[in-house]
């Protein structure tokens, strides 16, 4: 077993004491640096610590329960989540070199559980994109095939876990940025219920859709990491006073018991024309596995699926246009040189600081919120959003959970969709609905198509994250499939 591939291998080594910890920590850093080498670097990280923090013992410094114990575990953090010490750039020229004066709640909780931050990971600028090609600092490549994208926008975190640098990482999801890259890189990705993890310190993209999520190589590891970061936070009014049940609840002890007689809804709209044939085959095999394990597969319908993507691309840009107004060249980030007037400061700082996709979203968002368009677009989109919610409510009346593909295709080639934004947006077609509804959703690796990983998506009713994790752990155990570490094969 690779030393850095799971929380339990790391824990075991760290429990041997300081020498073992330091050896493991340098191995993680060495691997992280290696991702920058060669003609086609993976480029998962935008910044790395110079050296690991000193050994702090084998117990969590803030004496949490054993399950919360992440002592000595290196973790990677998406670069739109604030950390002390390392810059938080959001993949934008605007924030190049910006160091936050405070740490995100999720980051603080990881550190309190004993984990250490190895570095900040690459992303599409401000989380806007599906391939990590919209980073101002160059794209990340997929560890499974360097000619392909890792997905996005949390491509760096997904790649860091897939390449075996860290056993767990944080990302953010507004429309699918945890599940989509996790599926494309062959790792587990969880977007919890909206309000489960504090957004304090996550740089806002679209506040009603933004979530902090986790990446890991197995469901129990993702559950353990989520358990550490989840929970109420007085700094985020949308976080709820509800703790996540201990991660041990999702350990795959009795997969057959968890799956037996479980009703799993299969949404017809997720198996339409846009679903690639190779991906469909792998998903159908996973459905077969669920059936063999005693689950009852029931067809369900989510008619709003076809409009959910359009709804998302009105609501998200609308909120983004308001959130990104704070980047004005005065309060945050870079200011254009030699500006003479206030309006010139705004125009030039924003014009030079933001990349094309961010500008496109701001224009779109400002347009749909403008007085003549507000009703036709924004209010209409809010109506559609309600229908997405109602569809899920109806489906969950008969199904405990839904199972579907995470992405319509495996990871595509670098550059393939960059000149056609609408094509790029379609990469999120199966993930945006769960963000619009705020329900928990996750992906696990279920196989591969031509060597490229395929993800299977589970969705559950709001606040039933534990149930989702238990079903996922049982399916994972039953499938016995783990995508190989890059270079392992
Ligand atoms: N790809 C989607 C977008 O570009 C979702 C991004 C995200 O979840 N951060 O908006």
């Amino acid at each position: 077993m690779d030393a850095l591939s799971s929380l339990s291998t790391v824990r075991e080594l760290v429990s041997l004491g300081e020498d073992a910890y330091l050896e493991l920590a340098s191995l993680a850093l060495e691997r992280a640096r290696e991702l920058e080498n060669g003609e086609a670097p993976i480029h998962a990280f935008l910044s790395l610590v110079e050296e690991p923090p000193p050994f702090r013992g084998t117990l969590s410094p803030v004496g949490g329960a054993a399950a919360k114990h992440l002592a000595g575990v290196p973790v990677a953090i998406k670069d739109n989540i604030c950390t002390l010490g390392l810059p938080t750039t959001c993949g934008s020229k605007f924030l190049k070199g910006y160091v936050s004066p405070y740490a995100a709640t999720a980051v603080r909780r990881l550190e309190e559980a004993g984990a250490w931050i190895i570095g900040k990971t690459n992303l599409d600028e401000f989380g806007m994109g599906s391939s990590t090609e919209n980073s101002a600092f160059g794209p990340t490549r997929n560890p499974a095939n360097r000619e392909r994208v890792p997905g996005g926008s949390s491509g760096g975190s997904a790649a860091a876990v897939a390449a075996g640098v860290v056993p767990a990482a944080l990302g953010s999801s507004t429309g699918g940025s945890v599940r989509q890259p996790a599926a494309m890189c062959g790792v587990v990705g969880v977007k919890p219920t909206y309000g489960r993890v504090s957004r304090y310190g996550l740089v806002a993209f679209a506040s009603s859709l933004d979530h902090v999520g986790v990446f890991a190589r197995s469901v129990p590891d993702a559950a353990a990491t989520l358990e550490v970061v989840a929970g109420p936070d007085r700094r985020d009014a949308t976080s709820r006073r509800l703790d996540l049940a201990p991660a041990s609840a999702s350990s795959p002890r009795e997969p057959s018991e968890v799956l037996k007689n479980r009703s799993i809804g299969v949404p017809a709209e997720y198996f339409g024309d846009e679903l690639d044939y190779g991906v469909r085959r792998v998903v159908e095999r996973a459905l077969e596995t669920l059936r063999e394990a005693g689950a009852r597969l029931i067809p369900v319908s989510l008619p709003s699926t076809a409009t959910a993507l359009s709804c998302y691309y009105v609501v998200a840009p609308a909120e983004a246009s308001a959130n990104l107004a704070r980047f004005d060249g005065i309060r945050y980030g870079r200011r254009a040189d030699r500006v003479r007037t206030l309006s010139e400061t705004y125009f030039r700082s924003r014009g030079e600081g933001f990349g094309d996709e961010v500008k496109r979203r701001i224009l779109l968002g400002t347009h749909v919120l403008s007085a003549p368009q507000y009703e036709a677009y924004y209010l209409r989109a809010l109506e559609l959003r309600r229908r997405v919610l109602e569809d899920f409510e109806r489906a969950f009346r008969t199904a405990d959970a839904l199972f579907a593909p995470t992405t319509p295709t495996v990871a595509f080639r670098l550059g393939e969709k960059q000149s056609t934004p609408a094509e790029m947006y379609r990469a999120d077609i199966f993930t945006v609905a769960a963000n619009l509804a705020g329900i928990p959703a996750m992906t696990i690796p279920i196989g591969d198509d031509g060597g490229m990983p395929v993800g299977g998506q589970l969705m559950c009713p709001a606040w039933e994250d534990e149930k989702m994790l238990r079903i996922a752990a049982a399916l994972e155990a039953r499938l016995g499939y783990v995508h190989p570490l890059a270079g392992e094969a």
Side-chain angles (χ1 to χ4, degrees), residues 69-84:
H69 170 187
L70 295 182
V73 176
V75 291
I77 309 289
K78 187 180 184 180
D79 208 24
N80 61 350
I81 302 177
C82 293
T83 46
L84 293 166

Side-chain angles (χ1 to χ4, degrees), residues 78 127-130 152-153 172-177 205 312-313 361 428:
K78 187 180 184 180
M128 299 177 189
S130 309
S153 62
S172 70
S173 168
T174 304
S177 284
F205 163 5
Y312 172 82
Y313 276 101
R361 304 283 177 109
D428 304 309

Side-chain angles (χ1 to χ4, degrees), residues 262-282:
R262 181 74 77 176
S263 50
I264 304 284
V266 185
E269 292 80 2
Y270 284 57
F271 292 81
D273 288 345
E274 47 299 275
L275 181 59
D276 200 75
Y277 179 67
V279 176
R280 174 195 292 267
R281 270 199 351 224
V282 179

Side-chain angles (χ1 to χ4, degrees), residues 269-270 301-311 383-392 394 429 432-433 436:
E269 292 80 2
Y270 284 57
S301 177
L302 302 169
S304 60
T305 304
T307 45
L309 197 66
S310 321
C311 167
E383 252 171 57
L384 291 175
R385 185 174 187 175
R386 206 188 50 236
R387 269 191 232 162
V388 171
L389 207 74
E390 287 165 0
D391 278 0
F392 279 122
R394 202 174 333 102
I429 188 156
V432 294
L436 288 165

